[in-house]
């Protein structure tokens, strides 16, 4: 029998050392479903801001209208999201605008989660205070790590860290995306995190775990992660926008 669960959510988004925040995030829920979306836009002249907000709105709207969370439905949702970015460019949007995407979908009735992503915005799953899973970036640096040419601990500071090989706004035959399979079975005490590279660049796995263990609420953890980014980026005044959204799984009240 599936254990009844409840959810607590908190989010954080900051411009960092930039004039404009090109990250976007949002969430939607019904009695039985939750959809959380984070996107990190780029493209210059406001294009990244347009692309990220467009994709967040599209994913939330499409899922709310038809809350399917099977793997095939999420693959189709990514393709349609990509088409919305390309269509916006043809209507006069910035020619080079694109955006990452990471989206989390929770089915409360079945106590399962599934997620999908394009680019280097990440989803982490924590169990018993430890990272049990994280998504694999679609990036040049990740491909170097995968090939054994770069140590994982060197990836964060690599000069090519921001070079993506897939993002929304890519020609469809070149689009690469990932969907969590099988669905992730949720337990009370689990924590899920979506965050942009502006956060994980400065917050390593050990810090994610150590701050999580000492924080009593999702809001407290967001504050701790913000402090960690600002401390890590203290010598880089132009550091990137950073965004995080967390969902904590708790046991439903009797």
């Amino acid at each position: 029998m599936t254990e009844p669960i409840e959810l607590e959510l908190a989010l954080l988004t900051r411009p960092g050392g930039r004039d404009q925040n090109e990250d976007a995030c949002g969430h939607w829920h019904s009695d039985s479903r939750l959809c959380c979306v984070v996107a990190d836009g780029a493209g210059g002249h406001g294009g990244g801001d347009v692309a990220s907000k467009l994709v967040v709105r599209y994913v939330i709207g499409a899922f709310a209208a038809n809350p399917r969370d099977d793997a095939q439905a999420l693959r189709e949702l990514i393709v349609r999201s990509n088409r919305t970015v390309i269509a916006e460019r043809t209507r006069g949007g910035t020619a080079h605008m694109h955006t990452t995407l990471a989206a989390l979908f929770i089915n409360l009735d079945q106590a399962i989660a599934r997620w999908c992503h394009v680019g280097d915005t990440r989803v982490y799953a924590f169990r018993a205070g430890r990272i049990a899973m994280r998504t694999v970036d679609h990036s040049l640096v990740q491909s170097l790590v995968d090939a054994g040419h770069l140590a994982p601990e060197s990836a964060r500071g690599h000069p090519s860290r921001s070079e993506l090989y897939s993002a929304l706004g890519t020609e469809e035959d070149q689009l690469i995306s990932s969907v969590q399979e099988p669905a992730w079975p949720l337990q009370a005490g689990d924590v899920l995190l979506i965050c942009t590279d502006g956060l994980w660049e400065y917050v390593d796995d050990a810090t994610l775990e150590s701050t999580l263990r000492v924080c009593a609420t999702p809001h407290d953890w967001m504050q701790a992660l913000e402090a960690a980014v600002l401390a890590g980026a203290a010598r880089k005044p132009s550091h990137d926008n950073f965004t995080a959204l967390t969902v904590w799984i708790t046991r439903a009240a009797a």
Side-chain angles (χ1 to χ4, degrees):
M1 181 177 178
T2 301
E3 178 185 29
I5 59 171
E6 293 180 348
L7 310 176
E8 296 180 66
L9 185 150
L11 60 84
L12 159 75
T13 185
R14 299 287 186 267
R18 308 287 174 84
D19 293 332
Q20 185 176 22
N21 190 350
E22 293 190 315
D23 290 354
C25 59
H27 56 90
W28 169 90
H29 71 89
S30 66
D31 290 342
S32 61
R33 297 285 196 279
L34 172 68
C35 167
C36 302
V37 189
V38 173
D40 178 0
H45 305 291
D49 176 59
V50 172
S52 62
K53 289 180 178 177
L54 176 68
V55 164
V56 169
R57 286 196 303 267
Y58 179 81
V59 171
I60 289 174
F63 186 77
N66 183 19
R68 286 180 55 203
D69 49 16
D70 59 279
Q72 183 58 33
L74 298 189
R75 291 189 187 95
E76 293 169 1
L77 183 58
I78 289 170
V79 170
R80 296 198 306 272
S81 300
N82 189 57
R83 291 171 182 170
T84 65
V85 177
I86 294 173
E88 180 64 22
R89 288 206 305 243
T90 64
R91 286 192 292 267
T94 303
H96 301 293
M97 73 178 187
H98 60 273
T99 183
T100 67
L101 165 71
L104 166 68
F105 306 88
I106 292 178
N107 183 320
L108 278 162
D109 292 338
Q110 298 179 23
I112 58 172
R114 202 185 294 273
W115 46 82
C116 58
H117 81 286
V118 179
D120 62 357
T121 294
R122 293 179 175 178
V123 179
Y124 292 79
F126 298 79
R127 180 158 288 168
R130 300 283 186 179
I131 296 172
M133 190 288 320
R134 84 156 173 86
T135 52
V136 178
D137 304 332
H138 304 128
S139 68
L140 172 62
V141 166
Q142 184 63 55
S143 68
L144 294 175
V145 171
D146 293 344
H149 299 312
L150 183 68
E153 59 270 20
S154 301
R156 281 183 169 82
H158 194 279
S160 298
R161 184 191 56 75
S162 297
E163 293 187 23
L164 304 180
Y165 64 77
S166 188
L168 298 181
T170 301
E171 291 302 319
E172 197 164 308
D173 61 352
Q174 299 176 26
L175 181 67
I176 297 171
S177 63
S178 299
V179 175
Q180 171 63 25
E181 291 189 89
W184 186 266
L186 294 169
Q187 301 177 10
D190 286 356
V191 170
L192 299 167
L193 172 71
I194 315 174
C195 64
T196 60
D197 66 325
L199 187 135
W200 61 254
E201 177 182 2
Y202 298 104
V203 185
D204 62 17
D205 291 359
T207 303
L208 286 172
E209 292 178 346
S210 65
T211 52
L212 177 61
R213 286 195 293 270
V214 299
C215 288
T217 69
H219 179 71
D220 290 346
W221 194 36
M222 292 296 95
Q223 290 186 316
L225 294 183
E226 180 178 14
V229 172
L230 295 179
R235 296 185 179 181
K236 188 178 179 182
S238 62
H239 68 97
D240 199 2
N241 318 142
F242 59 98
T243 296
L245 188 156
T246 187
V247 180
W248 288 26
I249 316 302
T250 61
R251 185 172 287 105

